[in-house]
Amino acid sequence: MLAATFEGIPAIILFQLLGGPFLTGYLLYLGASSFQIGIVLAIPSMANMLQIVGALLIQRFTNRKLAFALLCGLHRILWVLTGAVPFVFPREFGVAAYIAVCVLGFVGQAIGSVFWTSLIADMVPARVRGRYFGIRNTILWAGGCLAILVFGQLLDRLPEPRGFHVLYAVAAVCAVLDIVFFLRYPNPPFEKSGQTGMGAMLAVPFRHKPFRKAMLFISLWLFVQGISVPFFNYVMLDVMHIGYRWISVATMTQNVAMMAGYYMWGNLNAKYATKTLLFWTLPVIAASCMTWGLLPMLPDIPVLLAVHLLIGIGVGGFNQLMFNYVVGDTPKGERPMFVAVFYAMTGLAGFLGPTLGGSVYKWIADMPHGVQLFGVSVTVGVVLLAVALGIGTNALLDRKMTFRRSRGTGWGKSG
């Protein structure tokens, strides 16, 4: 558990530098359009559809530590290499080259994450899982906050290419450290699936009705959310023309809220059912989107800080509880396939949402400023709230069981 915590620190810094708020700025520097930004933001979700491949491979290649170290290490190396795009490719091919390298890297990440998820689920005892991931994520995001704060100031003060050069140099160091820490993980024996044949393994998650309902609902939610939430930074940079310094402050506010949320949701998860808590993160995310509608009435910065405070609490809890649900409320022997099917379905939705969102922002580029500024986000927030209240109550809430039993619950009974 300590190994997983130490490994996560350089990982979160790497993800914040290359996949956080500065990603949009780097893509705009490369000459990307809103549609191309949407494609890039959707790549991790698109790659997650290949987790089913990982779930099949894990039955044959059971050395989980070696597999995830190789595959996730490849992802880290390729992602850092995207910093070389302006030096290697002409400007007209820069964005396409970035997308191609990212796709290759996130394919490795997606397949490797099946091995990692299975391994860490065995490493962390079920009785402390919610609290452990709450504490781990709080520590990790503290490192992410520091990176965001420092590089927000740096990118505002250095000329654009030089700032990105420094950013990628630090990311390269984090990638090396992350790979080194991969080797500190234990490698417990793997329990294979009790099913014979690929078809039988694939069928198990779909036969379980509560899991299927939750998976389909979360997929719908991520699709709608993806139309707006990934573009918060795009709106601040390209529509509001806010500098990196304030974007870093807003993002740090989000990360601090996520840290507090991780700890809060983790402690609540020791008492309340995972799916019940997952439901209560949904109105917070919807409220974050609708808060953009306050911009015509209040100063920009306080509104943006409120938006990021809410999205930090909501999305932080949503992501943590979704992960806890998949690794904690699934049978051990079949867990890799449950995880793979879940992330394949939600990954498809997570790919389609930002892709549609990029097209929407391109389509409204000539519309009134208010439509670009807050129209999309407010509309998505209203739809999200309706989806949560109309469908989420049936998919996630179990009125007969909202508390966990003291020693945990069996598969299918923990809400």
Side-chain angles (χ1 to χ4, degrees):
M1 290 161 68
L2 283 172
T5 301
F6 285 123
E7 176 270 318
I9 295 172
I12 197 67
I13 295 174
L14 175 70
F15 274 74
Q16 286 298 297
L17 295 184
L18 301 191
F22 310 128
L23 170 61
T24 303
Y26 184 62
L27 291 172
L28 290 171
Y29 165 66
L30 293 179
S33 65
S34 63
F35 177 74
Q36 289 171 320
I37 291 172
I39 292 291
V40 172
L41 295 175
I43 286 174
S45 296
M46 177 185 66
N48 277 342
M49 290 185 280
L50 293 174
Q51 288 203 18
I52 292 177
V53 176
L56 297 173
L57 287 176
I58 201 172
Q59 303 299 324
R60 295 180 177 272
F61 191 81
T62 57
N63 189 333
R64 293 176 289 178
K65 176 180 175 179
L66 177 60
F68 100 78
L70 289 173
L71 291 165
C72 295
L74 175 67
H75 162 257
R76 307 298 193 262
I77 293 168
L78 288 175
W79 207 10
V80 168
L81 287 177
T82 59
V85 165
F87 302 103
V88 178
F89 297 94
R91 183 171 177 81
E92 60 268 26
F93 299 115
V95 178
Y98 181 97
I99 291 173
V101 175
C102 259
V103 167
L104 290 175
F106 276 97
V107 165
Q109 169 73 7
I111 298 174
S113 67
V114 176
F115 291 85
W116 179 85
T117 303
S118 172
L119 182 61
I120 202 165
D122 288 351
M123 287 164 49
V124 183
R127 67 183 182 276
V128 298
R129 192 172 284 141
R131 186 168 285 118
Y132 166 74
F133 283 115
I135 294 171
R136 177 182 183 265
N137 289 336
T138 301
I139 294 171
L140 267 52
W141 282 94
C145 282
L146 181 61
I148 294 265
L149 179 63
V150 170
F151 277 90
Q153 301 290 329
L154 185 72
L155 290 175
D156 250 358
R157 296 178 182 181
L158 289 179
E160 201 163 55
R162 286 183 59 198
F164 287 124
H165 297 165
V166 176
L167 182 147
Y168 268 91
V170 173
V173 173
C174 289
V176 173
L177 289 174
D178 200 24
I179 294 169
V180 169
F181 281 121
F182 286 162
L183 305 179
R184 301 296 301 274
Y185 273 71
N187 199 19
F190 173 65
E191 181 180 320
K192 290 189 175 185
S193 169
Q195 308 297 319
T196 56
M198 181 176 66
M201 283 190 288
L202 276 169
V204 172
F206 291 101
R207 287 204 304 263
H208 196 280
K209 186 177 178 180
F211 178 83
R212 186 174 67 245
K213 285 171 58 179
M215 177 177 65
L216 292 175
F217 169 75
I218 291 171
S219 298
L220 172 63
W221 179 269
L222 290 174
F223 169 73
V224 179
Q225 175 184 295
I227 297 172
S228 171
V229 173
F231 293 91
F232 284 3
N233 289 323
Y234 171 78
V235 173
M236 289 190 292
L237 274 170
D238 207 51
V239 179
M240 302 178 73
H241 303 292
I242 290 178
Y244 286 111
R245 182 169 65 91
W246 279 111
I247 287 177
S248 68
V249 170
T251 306
M252 191 178 70
T253 301
Q254 175 180 328
N255 289 350
V256 170
M258 289 179 79
M259 289 163 54
Y262 284 140
Y263 188 78
M264 177 189 74
W265 296 113
N267 283 330
L268 288 173
N269 202 196
K271 183 178 181 181
Y272 294 96
T274 305
K275 287 202 296 183
T276 301
L277 293 174
L278 187 59
F279 171 81
W280 288 109
T281 66
L282 306 182
V284 182
I285 298 172
S288 171
C289 294
M290 291 187 287
T291 301
W292 282 89
L294 297 175
L295 282 173
M297 297 172 278
L298 297 173
D300 291 354
I301 298 302
V303 172
L304 293 176
L305 293 180
V307 166
H308 285 79
L309 178 71
L310 289 170
I311 202 67
I313 295 172
V315 170
F318 180 88
N319 291 341
Q320 177 169 297
L321 292 162
M322 184 173 66
F323 178 81
N324 289 352
Y325 170 65
V326 177
V327 302
D329 291 5
T330 50
K332 183 177 179 181
E334 310 302 329
R335 184 174 293 141
M337 187 55 73
F338 272 87
V339 170
V341 168
F342 182 88
Y343 282 109
M345 291 292 293
T346 57
L348 176 61
F351 168 72
L352 295 175
T355 303
L356 176 60
S359 298
V360 168
Y361 277 100
K362 183 178 180 180
W363 175 57
I364 65 172
D366 297 324
M367 290 189 177
H369 185 70
V371 177
Q372 303 174 55
L373 186 61
F374 59 83
V376 176
S377 294
V378 171
T379 302
V380 167
V382 171
V383 173
L384 285 174
L385 188 61
V387 167
L389 298 177
I391 305 175
T393 50
N394 179 261
L396 298 179
L397 290 184
D398 183 356
R399 294 176 177 82
K400 296 180 181 179
M401 184 172 293
T402 57
F403 289 89
R404 288 189 180 275
R405 290 180 288 189
S406 60
R407 295 190 177 183
T409 53
W411 163 238
K413 296 182 180 179
S414 61

